[in-house]
Amino acid sequence: MAKAELQQTSPKMKEKEPPLKGTLASVFLLGFFIIFSWVSVYFLFLHRL
Amino acid sequence: MMGETMKVDRRDAKLTLAHLYVAFIALALGGLAGLLQTLVRSGKFNLPAGISYYTILTTHGVLLGLVLTTFFIIGFQFAAVSRTSGAFSDRVRFWGWVGFWTMTIGTAMTAFFILTGQAAVLYTFYAPLQAHAGFYLGLTLVVVGSWISGFAIFAHYARWKKQNPGKASPLLTFMSVTNMILWLVCTLGVAATVLFQLLPWSLGITDRINILVSRTLFWYFGHPLVYFWLLPAYMIWYVVIPKVIGGKIFSDSLARLAFILFLIFSIPVGFHHQLLEPGITPFWKYVQVILTFMVVIPSLMTAFAMFATFESYGRSKGATGLFGWLRKLPWGDARFFAPFVGMLFFIPGGAGGIINASHQLDQVVHNTVWVTGHFHLTIATTVVLTFFGAAYWLIPHLSGRVMTKAMNRLAIIQTVVWAIGMTFMSGSMHFAGLLGAPRRSAFSTYGNSPQALEWIPYQIAQAVGGTILFIGIILVLVIVTNLAFFAPKGETEFPVAEAAEPAERTALAMENWKLWIGITVALILIAYTIPFVDMIQNAPPGSKGYKLW
């Protein structure tokens, strides 16, 4: 039953879902920036050991 | 029945406006103190009339970190709750005014003791630096006043729930209630250190103070304080900005879940401010660092939701390409532009926060001016620019006026000025911090040590940035005064967006306060009980008070 409901709603959901490729790219850029900042200061820490 | 109303009741509007006036007066005075600080630290300027650098430091910290924020937030929340859950009863409004006057009297008292040089204790409660008891009493009144206002909001919320059984509360009301619960739980820590340690010690009833306990109670409060500042900005991002741009809230459930996660995870994390302090075992620091990283999650959820809101809107307007939706946003509207620039600055602000909370990396930046640069990105840009953006519609909405095109243009310029000034000031603070420049201290060449001389160009850049920021403060005060008293009469909208897909059941589950507060308390007890007992059982003799400046 639950499966049938899922199958019924899925195409509908697909129609409504806005394409969020830009959001995906933005969150990746944000993630890379955080990692880059963190690793930069980490290397500074290692350098000063 | 109290349904969703479009306007804030006129009597509630007065209550909010009173809070906003105090907030912007604090901005003017605290901002001036900040300008003087950057000038002194450049080494090119001495304060006249024997005024101490440390007097203006405490003035700046208290007026901007506590007074501006608390008054703006409580005023904004009163308006948000009244707008979305209906006008207050006379009783709730009365207690709102009692809260306001209690906070205002407390602020005046605190300001008196700071300005007369009897409370140079860095940023608020920095034992063993000791202030006059009146300073601690004044700040206690500020906190107690905020509690009274918090309970007024809770009472109004309870009435709404009673009148709307089985319904989820309006999103802005839910968010305001969550933020006030967070505030209530976290201020218990600062109340404990003030009542049981600082006040008896400053009155001479006790001779010595347990520094580690005092600092632990302060940071139990000090980090959620950051979220108490940030959550109202998130309210504006989640609920107001989508309406301003003409879109919808990406997900009502995601917004509510983010707020609940902030409530749960933002309190048991204070040890990440104490990573380099002896007296706390590494294991408990580690536990709280893990919890600190948990609180990154709702901020990342918020970043995702904002990008998705903007992209969904842009696509609905026919935007193409990976980032074409950015072009569809209303760049000429200060109500959007100021908070958006605030969001951008939160990217380096958040990244810096993750660095601060990582134990090894904290050893690079701890107690350096990097940290000052960090919180000038998060609170003094992200939060403050969002509040300015909100003031541009909130004040005319409450005062029955409209923002003119000229004022909107000035607000855009103000935002740009702020962004430039902060890039100079906070950027140079970050770099100087990486080179070891200390925070909190006045100008010194430390006996012409080569390392200290390296910091001077950055300190001059901080003064340049501080001066530009002060111009930004003058601009925002011009705009706010215009909107409150001189702008043309008319109707201004209080923008509240609709959710793209209402999710009543999820929203209701998010109001299971017993569960969320229960988890919050349990996490606090897990993270703090053992190390706190250890601090008391193995306490050193304690410290006498010092009044150095």
Side-chain angles (χ1 to χ4, degrees), chain A:
Chain A
M1 187 66 193
K3 202 178 173 186
E5 275 176 12
L6 201 70
Q7 279 169 351
Q8 274 177 2
T9 52
S10 288
K12 226 179 171 183
M13 290 289 282
K14 263 187 187 168
E15 270 174 30
K16 283 175 74 179
E17 192 83 18
L20 294 177
K21 285 179 188 163
T23 302
L24 182 68
S26 303
V27 293
F28 265 109
L29 286 174
L30 174 63
F32 289 140
F33 179 79
I34 292 172
I35 293 166
F36 172 78
S37 311
W38 196 94
V39 170
S40 303
V41 181
Y42 184 62
F43 276 102
L44 197 57
F45 166 74
L46 291 180
H47 180 71
R48 289 177 180 175
L49 274 181

Side-chain angles (χ1 to χ4, degrees), chain B residues 498-509:
Chain B
E498 286 174 14
E501 285 174 57
E504 189 76 5
R505 276 181 63 193
T506 324
L508 265 176

